[in-house]
Amino acid sequence: PEAASPAEEAAATFARRVRADPRFEVLWVRGRLVCFRLVAWYSAEAETLNAELLSEVNASVSGSGRSWIAPTREGSGDDGGGGRDSLSLLHASGPRTSPAVCWADVKAATERVMLRHMGEFVCGGCDCLDTLAGQVLV
């Protein structure tokens, strides 16, 4: 077998990091490309989460500016959307692309996206957050 290029090794490393996060699934890795997506989270649809993540990463206002992802339509075709595959994201690794930096950018953007959707689960009308925090700190 041929040895993997540095870009292919970077893509494999990035894919391992994505797979380790239960909020994501990796659909495929081909050469230096990684196709991945956020999975649906409570009432937030995967399509919405991935569209927001795409915008967050590519805006790179608070990121490194070195990460970029592209939209694609990939999957099993069995997404309940009338045969149309849901939005997925493509990451291309290059020889000067650090998988750690790219993953840090994607992870930070994911946190911002998820926090926007957290509001519907935290009503603000009770002390549930204080109670939970107290249980964690005890």
Side-chain angles (χ1 to χ4, degrees), residues 76-100:
S76 65
D78 185 23
D79 64 353
R84 189 188 79 185
D85 292 328
S86 60
L87 178 65
S88 303
L89 307 168
L90 282 176
H91 166 71
S93 294
R96 294 181 301 221
T97 305
S98 163

Side-chain angles (χ1 to χ4, degrees), residues 67-134:
S67 300
W68 182 81
I69 54 179
T72 186
R73 298 278 171 187
E74 295 285 340
S76 65
D78 185 23
D79 64 353
R84 189 188 79 185
D85 292 328
S86 60
L87 178 65
S88 303
L89 307 168
L90 282 176
H91 166 71
S93 294
R96 294 181 301 221
T97 305
S98 163
V101 169
C102 292
W103 173 242
D105 289 346
V106 169
K107 188 175 178 183
T110 300
E111 295 300 326
R112 291 189 298 273
V113 168
M114 298 304 253
L115 282 174
R116 282 198 293 271
H117 292 275
M118 189 90 134
E120 67 187 78
F121 301 106
V122 181
C123 65
C126 65
D127 67 347
C128 57
L129 282 180
D130 293 335
T131 302
L132 288 172

Side-chain angles (χ1 to χ4, degrees), residues 10-91:
T13 300
F14 179 80
R16 280 193 299 276
R17 290 173 186 255
V18 174
R19 282 187 183 107
D21 189 320
R23 299 173 295 184
F24 288 93
E25 64 181 342
V26 173
L27 301 171
W28 50 260
V29 179
R30 294 182 190 139
R32 61 188 210 103
L33 295 175
V34 179
C35 183
F36 67 102
R37 64 180 164 210
L38 276 166
V39 296
W41 184 72
Y42 292 101
S43 65
E45 295 181 7
E47 186 83 7
T48 300
L49 294 173
N50 285 296
E52 291 179 21
L53 181 60
L54 177 69
S55 295
E56 282 285 336
V57 171
N58 290 345
S60 66
V61 171
S62 60
S64 70
R66 294 178 283 186
S67 300
W68 182 81
I69 54 179
T72 186
R73 298 278 171 187
E74 295 285 340
S76 65
D78 185 23
D79 64 353
R84 189 188 79 185
D85 292 328
S86 60
L87 178 65
S88 303
L89 307 168
L90 282 176
H91 166 71

